[in-house]
Amino acid sequence: MSIALVRTVDEVRERLSLVRREKRRIGLVPTMGALHAGHASLIEKAQSEGVFTAVSIFVNPLQFGPDEDYQRYPRLLEKDLEICERVGADLVFAPEAGEVYVSEQRTFVEVTRLGDHLCGVFRPGHFRGVATVVAKLFNIIQPDSAYFGEKDYQQLCIIRRMVQDLNFPIEIVPVPIYRDADGLALSSRNVYLDQDQRAAAPALYRALMTARRMIEDGERNADVVKQASGWILAAEQRLRQEYFEIVDPVELQPVSEVTEEVRIAGAVWVGKTRLIDNVAAVPR
Ligand code: AMP
């Protein structure tokens, strides 16, 4: 395998300083591994922009709650390396937790307001963990651009805002959600689903698309839209709705009357697996 696998901060800095000396721009694709076609589309986007593409693979303990799946999160480095090589990444940075958190972290990045709704309500501390590790990765890699999937829309907004507020000289590039044929957004957690659960999971996407269609067809009352989508989720007995919200696309605050573009976002539990998804909607 010819792709460079780098395990330490010192080595990745050394290698990237050579890349910078050649006047190449550096793009970062931060991931937690267990890569799939959604991640590949981020790498391909970076490649299409001609940047030296560094993929980080790091299951970040700081963003998992005590009852969440940090221990059992899929770790598949060999397969991930093959995917990175196949789609043309230039380097994989896959540090151990002790390399990133050398001593107990005392300094954190907290983005206020944008985490007050959606996943932020149900995963306290999650976005603080995400923003902190992404800030660390930005300082380690010092990329010119970084690629984030719209799949994690709240994360994308929070990172965009962090870059603006803390003056990181990094362009944040959003990448559309990559879906299976039945609409289910690809996720590393989809491997947890058994056959029945997998069959039930696309109901979330159907609920989101129903909401989008209602808004496009002129429905302005967010409660009416959410109620109709709620019925679709409730009809699928293997799903349990965690939240289903209609928010403004920048500050992520719930809207009651849809007069401008919104994001519709939902989270559901299928057995012990939590799935999230979202779509944009523009009223007529
Ligand atoms: P993760 O490994 O789940 O932390 O995701 C790493 C990056 O890949 C994040 O920016 C995600 O938003 C993005 N991503 C994950 N799944 C998808 C998908 N189905 N489509 C597009 N981007 C995705």
Side-chain angles (χ1 to χ4, degrees), residues 198-250:
R198 173 63 189 80
L204 175 55
Y205 178 65
R206 288 200 304 275
L208 290 165
M209 290 306 280
T210 299
R212 167 145 117 183
R213 217 168 303 124
M214 285 176 77
I215 289 169
E216 287 173 351
D217 287 349
E219 180 57 63
R220 288 186 160 213
N221 185 326
D223 284 338
V224 171
V225 175
K226 285 193 284 184
Q227 192 178 42
S229 296
W231 287 328
I232 293 174
L233 294 177
E236 183 49 78
Q237 289 180 356
R238 283 160 296 191
L239 294 195
R240 183 171 66 74
Q241 176 181 324
E242 183 177 81
Y243 69 77
F244 194 92
E245 288 290 344
I246 301 176
V247 298
D248 80 85
V250 177

Side-chain angles (χ1 to χ4, degrees), residues 179-199:
R179 301 177 179 284
D180 265 341
D182 58 6
L184 179 67
L186 262 56
S187 162
S188 302
R189 291 189 168 97
N190 291 355
V191 299
Y192 298 150
L193 303 174
D194 66 27
Q195 214 176 340
D196 275 0
Q197 293 171 333
R198 173 63 189 80

